[in-house]
Amino acid sequence: RHTRYISVTGVQTCALPISYELVATDRHGYLFYDASGLMATVIQRDGRSTFAKSDPTPQEAFAAVTTYGGHFGTFDVDEGAHTVTHHTQGSFDPNDTGVDLRYRYQVSGDRLALTVFAAGDGAVPTTWKRLPDRTNLTPLERRFVGFKRLVSNEVKDDKGQILPGPAGEIGRAHV
């Protein structure tokens, strides 16, 4: 099932030495859980600035990393404790890679509320809204559904040499 991010309130300290307030009116994001036990989430602040040149200034790089976040991995739900645990296999925040992120959950209709307990930050409630499945996928679009594991994202030149590139990019052309 696909879930669309609809609100976040509270203050959360990130790995960088700053605190920021997550406000529903200026954030977008998605949360995905699937039947094979995988999950992923991404959230970004609205109005992110583009870099003036291809290589960002330190200020531009700082602004970019403090306005985007996400992680992926597997998940388990403990119905008795009303918790869901994200077992992270990768994260925008390297300190969250390989750790278990535990949330209290509450489901009400098409809403999923998750509350994380981060050390020193207190409870940070988030609310997500379930998205309906798309029913108008073409046969070709349906073939895209279900791919889940990255096998390779190597970019090679015309001689077959692997070209260096930023991690996490999916076939983005650099001109």
Side-chain angles (χ1 to χ4, degrees), residues 79-113:
E79 190 172 353
H82 281 81
T83 61
V84 59
T85 303
H86 296 175
H87 307 286
T88 63
Q89 297 170 342
S91 176
F92 187 79
D93 179 347
N95 293 331
D96 284 344
T97 299
V99 301
D100 290 345
L101 302 174
R102 190 171 176 216
Y103 304 85
R104 289 195 186 281
Y105 73 84
Q106 181 176 354
V107 179
S108 178
D110 65 352
R111 307 296 164 117
L112 171 64

Side-chain angles (χ1 to χ4, degrees), residues 1-4 107 109-112 128-132:
R1 283 289 187 186
H2 306 292
T3 307
R4 181 173 165 254
V107 179
D110 65 352
R111 307 296 164 117
L112 171 64
W128 303 83
K129 180 181 178 182
R130 184 183 300 276
L131 292 175

Side-chain angles (χ1 to χ4, degrees), residues 2 133-134 137-148:
H2 306 292
D133 291 335
R134 262 182 68 188
L137 291 174
T138 67
L140 180 56
E141 289 171 329
R142 287 186 192 287
R143 292 184 68 193
F144 280 76
V145 175
F147 288 96
K148 298 174 183 167

Side-chain angles (χ1 to χ4, degrees), residues 1-6 28-34 40-43 110-114 126-133:
R1 283 289 187 186
H2 306 292
T3 307
R4 181 173 165 254
Y5 165 82
I6 58 169
H28 281 86
Y30 292 97
L31 170 66
F32 300 94
Y33 293 108
D34 76 13
T41 185
V42 293
I43 299 176
D110 65 352
R111 307 296 164 117
L112 171 64
L114 299 178
T126 61
T127 302
W128 303 83
K129 180 181 178 182
R130 184 183 300 276
L131 292 175
D133 291 335

